[in-house]
Amino acid sequence: MTLPDGVERHDFGGETGLATRGEPVYGEATDGAWRRWDPDRSKLGAMLALGMETGLAGSETVLYLGAAAGTTVSHVADFAGPTYAVEFAPRPVRDLLDAADPRPNLFPLLKDAREPESYAHVVEPADVLVQDVATRGQALVANRNARFLRPDGRLLLSIKARSEDVTADPAAVFEDVLTTLEERYEIEASESLAPHHDDHLGVVARPRRDGTF
């Protein structure tokens, strides 16, 4: 697996982990100017730790849906270009603003990812769409936001089975979500995020090229 420029492996107390260079955000371990990207706290971090080929190279324009308090999106902004962070809950956005303060390329947006028209006037075309939104209809959110992706861009999605249906078999939930995603995307890879995150599926996809949307 090729790591993005700006993501390295460092030793933290005798344990090797991924790291980005930036100000700490959530009490993570540090090695000089480098901060550990904890895969147990980050779905995208787990995707990288598990060796999924995300296609991230570094310096991309990123739209991040479900930014919460900034745990993962702060790591992304450490190595990416302009990074738009969408979060609908006011309380975590206050922490997100703190994470953005030393990162001039990180732009918090107090918006609902289910309503992309509310921030379409702000967000520029993105190379990467990262989504970690714990809500029913995760595929619909990704499909609605496909409008922001460049034709050669990619979606990096974490599907949380219990957000779709707490009673259903996760495998069945994942199948349904992937089927809906295929209305707008070509699925390149999908992999369980266990042991870092139970009942989660990491997905790498690209916008469909056949003009069906």
Side-chain angles (χ1 to χ4, degrees), residues 29-65:
T30 59
D31 177 22
W34 293 83
R35 48 193 290 252
R36 187 185 181 202
W37 194 344
D38 186 348
D40 294 334
R41 297 281 299 273
S42 167
K43 315 306 190 312
L44 181 57
M47 291 171 70
L48 291 170
L50 292 168
M52 291 189 71
E53 287 290 352
T54 63
L56 287 170
S59 301
E60 296 102 332
T61 298
V62 177
L63 173 59
Y64 193 106
L65 306 178

Side-chain angles (χ1 to χ4, degrees), residues 114-127:
R114 296 170 295 184
E115 300 175 359
E117 63 278 0
S118 69
Y119 46 88
H121 63 293
V122 177
V123 176
E124 62 185 294
D127 302 300

Side-chain angles (χ1 to χ4, degrees), residues 90-104:
R91 176 62 188 89
V93 166
R94 291 199 289 270
D95 293 331
L96 179 58
L97 288 169
D98 290 338
D101 186 57
R103 297 174 172 86

Side-chain angles (χ1 to χ4, degrees), residues 74-189:
S74 62
H75 284 290
V76 173
D78 286 344
F79 66 84
T83 303
Y84 298 89
V86 175
E87 172 55 45
F88 81 98
R91 176 62 188 89
V93 166
R94 291 199 289 270
D95 293 331
L96 179 58
L97 288 169
D98 290 338
D101 186 57
R103 297 174 172 86
N105 63 321
L106 177 55
F107 306 108
L109 300 172
L110 180 59
K111 300 291 184 180
D112 189 333
R114 296 170 295 184
E115 300 175 359
E117 63 278 0
S118 69
Y119 46 88
H121 63 293
V122 177
V123 176
E124 62 185 294
D127 302 300
V128 182
L129 172 61
V130 182
Q131 181 177 318
D132 181 13
V133 177
T135 185
R136 186 184 295 271
Q138 293 164 85
L140 294 176
V141 172
N143 288 354
R144 289 171 184 162
N145 283 273
R147 61 194 287 181
F148 298 109
L149 268 180
R150 299 183 187 276
D152 60 347
R154 58 205 167 278
L155 167 71
L156 305 178
L157 169 67
S158 168
I159 303 171
K160 183 178 181 180
R162 296 188 182 280
S163 291
E164 296 289 338
D165 188 337
V166 72
T167 65
D169 175 59
V173 171
F174 297 148
E175 183 177 355
D176 288 345
V177 173
L178 291 174
T179 296
T180 303
L181 279 176
E182 287 174 339
E183 297 173 6
R184 299 294 299 263
Y185 298 95
E186 298 174 358
I187 310 299
E188 294 195 334

